[in-house]
Amino acid sequence: MRLFSTSIGRKGVMAVTGLLMVLFVVGHLLGNLTVFKGPDGINAYAEGLHKLVPVVWGTRIVMGSALILHVYMSIQITLENWAANPKKYAVSRSLRATFSSKNMIWTGAAIGAFVIYHLAHFTFRVTPSDLMLGTDTMGRPDVYQMVVDSLSGAVIGGVYLVAMVALCLHLWHGIQSLFQTLGLSNAKLLPEYGLWGKVLSGIFLVGFGAIPAVILAGILK
Ligand code: HEM
């Protein structure tokens, strides 16, 4: 259990679970972008995905475990750091710290809150928004209409946009940090990993953010 009790072990767990979740986010973004092909795009994609029952459940189990471990470790590390000496910690970190690296716990908490809301919203459909999952003309679950109807409201569309900013801020530092922890970086490669973090998190912001933005603008109906 040294993995959970030593500082390097914990950072390793954070990095591996973080990497798994980044891979999920890449896959989810690619799937979600089919919404721009209209009902035929995303409804066919969602139906095809739900037929792959072992893949869906395997992903849910791995991602659920990764999320729980990631959150548990982050709370433990943050509380220990605060208890050790919050002032000294803040000063020493701020030498090379960015807004993103200083606020990982808060952007992480925002993403956690978003994921809980998002599951209640689209997966369990238990939010007080009268969300309906009907069927399209081909008898498939109409994920397209469900997404467009709910994100066209200013409040829910706005919540999604703000959450995507939090995701971008979190991964701006998180992706670079996980490469460093996994030992894949050296002094020469460090700026490259920083660039990867910025490019990927920028792609997530633009890619995911475009969905509520385009729906709010009335372009997808
Ligand atoms: C504009 C942004 C997003 C849209 C429109 C969107 C849309 C959706 C939809 C429609 C589903 C249900 C799929 C189905 O049951 O067929 C879903 C599920 C899910 N989304 Fe998103 N999503 C967005 C962003 C995100 C982000 C940023 C994350 C993670 C940080 C995320 C995590 C999940 C998870 C964990 C599920 C549950 C998957 C499952 O059923 O096991 N989503 N999303």
Side-chain angles (χ1 to χ4, degrees):
M1 286 289 106
R2 284 170 66 80
L3 207 57
F4 299 104
S5 59
T6 61
S7 159
I8 189 74
R10 285 182 192 153
K11 281 212 69 158
V13 172
M14 292 289 290
V16 171
T17 52
L19 178 62
L20 286 171
M21 289 189 284
V22 168
L23 293 176
F24 169 81
V25 169
V26 170
H28 195 40
L29 174 61
L30 293 175
N32 279 349
L33 289 177
T34 58
V35 77
F36 291 109
K37 288 208 238 160
D40 232 15
I42 196 161
N43 292 353
Y45 163 74
E47 190 186 48
L49 185 67
H50 282 287
K51 278 186 185 151
L52 306 173
V53 176
V55 175
V56 169
W57 276 102
T59 307
R60 283 176 175 165
I61 291 166
V62 172
M63 287 307 135
S65 315
L67 181 65
I68 291 169
L69 275 176
H70 196 82
V71 170
Y72 176 72
M73 290 287 150
S74 67
I75 294 173
Q76 218 181 19
I77 291 172
T78 305
L79 290 179
E80 274 178 20
N81 282 335
W82 285 349
N85 189 342
K87 283 201 177 121
K88 186 171 153 233
Y89 179 70
V91 171
S92 62
R93 287 275 320 247
S94 65
L95 290 174
R96 273 188 310 139
T98 60
F99 180 83
S100 166
S101 70
K102 279 190 285 185
N103 290 289
M104 289 301 277
I105 190 72
W106 305 119
T107 49
I111 298 166
F114 166 76
V115 169
I116 292 170
Y117 169 72
H118 186 50
L119 289 177
H121 185 207
F122 282 150
T123 302
F124 300 112
R125 294 184 290 281
V126 291
T127 53
S129 58
D130 292 335
L131 198 60
M132 297 288 292
L133 180 60
T135 44
D136 65 11
T137 49
M138 293 177 68
R140 297 174 299 209
D142 201 349
V143 175
Y144 177 86
Q145 212 52 54
M146 174 181 80
V147 170
V148 170
D149 285 351
S150 58
L151 297 192
S152 56
V155 174
I156 298 181
V159 165
Y160 272 75
L161 280 173
V162 170
M164 295 315 117
V165 173
L167 179 73
C168 173
L169 282 173
H170 196 73
L171 295 182
W172 189 270
H173 172 74
I175 290 173
Q176 172 193 330
S177 178
L178 79 85
F179 279 132
Q180 261 177 279
T181 304
L182 294 178
L184 298 170
S185 85
N186 56 45
K188 236 171 86 186
L189 285 175
L190 199 59
E192 234 172 85
Y193 291 131
L195 187 67
W196 268 98
K198 288 168 190 149
V199 169
L200 274 175
S201 50
I203 291 174
F204 293 147
L205 177 63
V206 174
F208 280 120
I211 299 171
V214 162
I215 293 172
L216 281 169
I219 298 167
L220 286 187
K221 312 188 211 250

